[in-house]
Amino acid sequence: MTTDSSLRSGPGTTGRRSSSSRDAGDGGDGRAHGRLPGREHLPARQPVAAASAVPVLDVVVPVHNEEKDLHPCVVRLRGHLARTFPYPFRITVADNASTDSTPAVAVALAAELPGVRYVRLEEKGRGRALRTVWSASDAPVLAYMDVDLSTDLNALLPLVAPLISGHSDLAIGSRLARSSRVVRGTKREFISRAYNLILRSSLAAGFSDAQCGFKAIRREVAERLLPMVEDSGWFFDTELLVLAERAGLRIHEVPVDWIDDPDSTVHIVRTATEDLKGVWRVGRALAVGALPLDRLARPFGDDPRDRALTGVERGLARQLIGFCAVGVLSTLFYLALYSLFRLGVGPQVANGGALLVSAVANTAANRRLTFGVRGRSGAVRHQAQGLVVFAIGLALTSGSLAALGAASGSPSHGTELAVLITANLAATVLRFLLLRAWVFPARACSEPDSDSDSDPDSEDVR
């Protein structure tokens, strides 16, 4: 990331926020990733011409060698905001290492138009420009858009309104929404949809359009997310959104009208290659748990899921889904082990061995994925209790095999598997009830967060 010494601002630049302002954003306890108080609505409507007022919105326009498009873009954007936006605003031209006359155009705009400032970076990279300007901004809502203004500006107010009200944490424009109206070539359309399909299949992304140059974020959210984003180029957007989504932050999507710029200087093949490298890097980090997403778990505002409510079953639907998913994988694993063990031993021994190995794996998977128990504390006790549940399953399945043998003498392998599947289905309901009520009881959910914060190895059920 560009250091402060390499950042030069033109006329109209607002300085960095004071340390007291940053401390207040940390929630008052000195922890950069601590829990914040509940969201509050931003100040009531103020005249746009109030120069002394802190802008509510800071729109960043990152540019690199855009001497042709910069002036009409800023003039049009400022005119639209002056007519339609009910709060003070600022437009920041973030020039990342332009070598043409872009700096001169930007300086002139900052001198002529109130509310426009210019920031110069000596290193190239859209992500680097956004990180630098957003980190230094004092506006509570931060946004950016491409200089070609391919996105209809009428979507700007719907984009930032949920952030101003405090309802959402990030907002993105989507060209792939059903109601979006998009005009662009077949190649760009194919690449965009293929890329978002890759994100959905590899990173389980729930947002629809990662690369639309039309996004916004609340400042306190950016303060916590930006230090975790490694990319400084075009993959910056995707990485930011993936981290935000994995942390449980709320992403608002706005359908946009979008017209392709035929003169765009974006190198499609190079950008796509860098994006795929970024997908691989982030996917690998998520797979091995290298990203400290626990620092972002519900840090922004009041979450009703954190309230202790009497008489309300919490997380039952999510636990059922997780238990079913783990159960399907465990059953496949168990059947594969049984078939493997059956090659050398009898059905009872093969069933017992397959059940024992799969039970240990099943308890560990349900502990983390279904019931959300974190840390090593209590793992041995949970496994011991899981073995008791395993013994019940063993009794049911072994009894079924014994009954099958007594009834038919020498049943086929397929018949054995069918009986075992039926017995396992019967034991599944009882297994879930025992895990939920005895092994991982709901009372663990009411443990205070301070306990888990003070001891990194303590149990934390979310």
Side-chain angles (χ1 to χ4, degrees):
M1 184 175 72
T2 304
T3 60
D4 295 346
S5 60
S6 63
L7 187 151
R8 300 199 303 271
S9 302
T13 300
T14 303
R16 289 181 175 271
R17 289 174 291 114
S18 64
S19 59
S20 60
S21 175
R22 291 185 181 275
D23 293 341
D26 290 341
D29 57 2
R31 294 179 300 171
H33 301 279
R35 185 180 299 275
L36 291 181
R39 297 187 185 98
E40 296 180 359
H41 290 269
L42 298 181
R45 175 172 179 167
Q46 300 176 13
V48 175
S52 60
V54 175
V56 170
L57 174 66
D58 192 349
V59 183
V60 181
V61 182
V63 293
H64 174 74
N65 292 341
E66 298 287 357
E67 58 184 2
K68 177 182 177 182
D69 294 334
L70 180 57
H71 186 275
C73 163
V74 173
V75 171
R76 180 182 166 196
L77 174 59
R78 187 184 182 282
H80 177 82
L81 287 171
R83 291 191 308 272
T84 64
F85 192 68
Y87 298 98
F89 62 85
R90 178 195 298 133
I91 300 173
T92 301
V93 178
D95 173 23
N96 48 315
S98 292
T99 56
D100 60 1
S101 61
T102 296
V105 176
V107 168
L109 286 169
E112 297 170 5
L113 301 177
V116 177
R117 70 167 179 166
Y118 166 59
V119 173
R120 167 76 179 184
L121 291 86
E122 299 300 338
E123 295 181 80
K124 188 178 178 181
R126 182 181 69 172
R128 178 178 289 107
L130 292 176
R131 179 188 287 110
T132 302
V133 177
W134 282 356
S135 298
S137 180
D138 56 351
V141 177
L142 312 169
Y144 96 88
M145 62 182 59
D146 292 335
V147 68
D148 56 18
L149 293 185
S150 296
T151 304
D152 184 5
L153 291 177
N154 286 324
L156 182 55
L157 186 56
L159 181 81
V160 301
L163 308 188
I164 293 175
S165 69
H167 175 270
S168 300
D169 303 299
L170 299 90
I172 65 174
S174 176
R175 299 163 295 185
L176 303 181
R178 187 179 300 273
S179 58
S180 297
R181 291 173 287 190
V182 177
V183 179
R184 60 175 167 181
T186 304
K187 182 171 71 172
R188 283 181 176 266
E189 180 76 12
F190 173 78
I191 292 176
S192 178
R193 291 189 178 275
Y195 178 64
N196 283 280
L197 179 62
I198 291 173
L199 292 181
R200 288 178 177 272
S201 59
S202 61
L203 300 180
F207 45 86
S208 65
D209 193 350
Q211 290 290 31
C212 180
F214 197 70
K215 295 182 175 69
I217 186 171
R218 288 177 65 91
R219 187 185 67 212
E220 69 267 24
V221 178
E223 288 175 345
R224 286 155 176 79
L225 280 179
L226 292 180
M228 301 176 64
V229 179
E230 293 185 18
D231 192 81
S232 59
W234 292 97
F235 187 69
F236 174 88
D237 301 51
T238 302
E239 188 170 358
L240 184 74
L241 290 173
V242 169
L243 295 180
E245 189 174 61
R246 288 301 182 98
L249 303 184
R250 181 170 288 165
I251 301 176
H252 174 70
E253 294 198 17
V254 177
V256 297
D257 297 340
W258 196 86
I259 300 178
D260 190 14
D261 179 13
D263 298 325
S264 175
T265 59
V266 177
H267 195 291
I268 298 179
V269 176
R270 183 188 310 149
T271 302
T273 302
E274 293 301 319
D275 285 345
L276 291 178
K277 291 180 180 178
V279 170
W280 168 255
R281 174 177 56 80
V282 173
R284 183 177 56 184
L286 290 172
V288 301
L291 294 173
L293 294 178
D294 57 308
R295 289 190 285 174
L296 295 174
R298 295 189 176 98
F300 305 109
D302 180 28
D303 192 316
R305 294 171 296 179
D306 293 331
R307 300 174 188 170
L309 302 177
T310 58
V312 178
E313 288 289 335
R314 300 180 58 190
L316 179 59
R318 181 188 62 80
Q319 290 177 358
L320 281 173
I321 294 174
F323 179 79
C324 290
V326 172
V328 170
L329 295 177
S330 297
T331 300
L332 295 176
F333 183 50
Y334 160 76
L335 293 176
L337 288 175
Y338 177 82
S339 299
L340 179 63
F341 294 161
R342 191 67 176 84
L343 297 176
V345 297
Q348 293 290 359
V349 176
N351 176 62
L355 269 178
L356 178 60
V357 176
S358 61
V360 173
N362 181 277
T363 300
N366 276 311
R367 183 178 189 269
R368 179 65 181 90
L369 301 178
T370 302
F371 298 98
V373 180
R374 300 169 180 170
R376 296 184 297 272
S377 178
V380 175
R381 173 172 56 84
H382 293 153
Q383 282 293 349
Q385 292 172 310
L387 289 178
V388 175
V389 178
F390 151 76
I392 298 174
L394 178 62
L396 289 174
T397 54
S398 296
S400 299
L401 282 176
L404 177 64
S408 58
S410 300
S412 65
H413 181 64
T415 303
E416 288 181 352
L417 290 181
V419 170
L420 287 173
I421 291 174
T422 303
N424 270 285
L425 289 176
T428 296
V429 175
L430 180 59
R431 184 184 304 122
F432 176 76
L433 294 176
L434 287 174
L435 289 177
R436 178 175 169 84
W438 179 48
V439 183
F440 309 109
R443 56 183 170 82
C445 295
S446 61
E447 295 177 1
D449 291 342
S450 58
D451 294 342
S452 59
D453 291 339
S454 60
D455 183 2
D457 293 333
S458 64
E459 293 182 33
D460 182 16
V461 181
R462 291 183 181 273

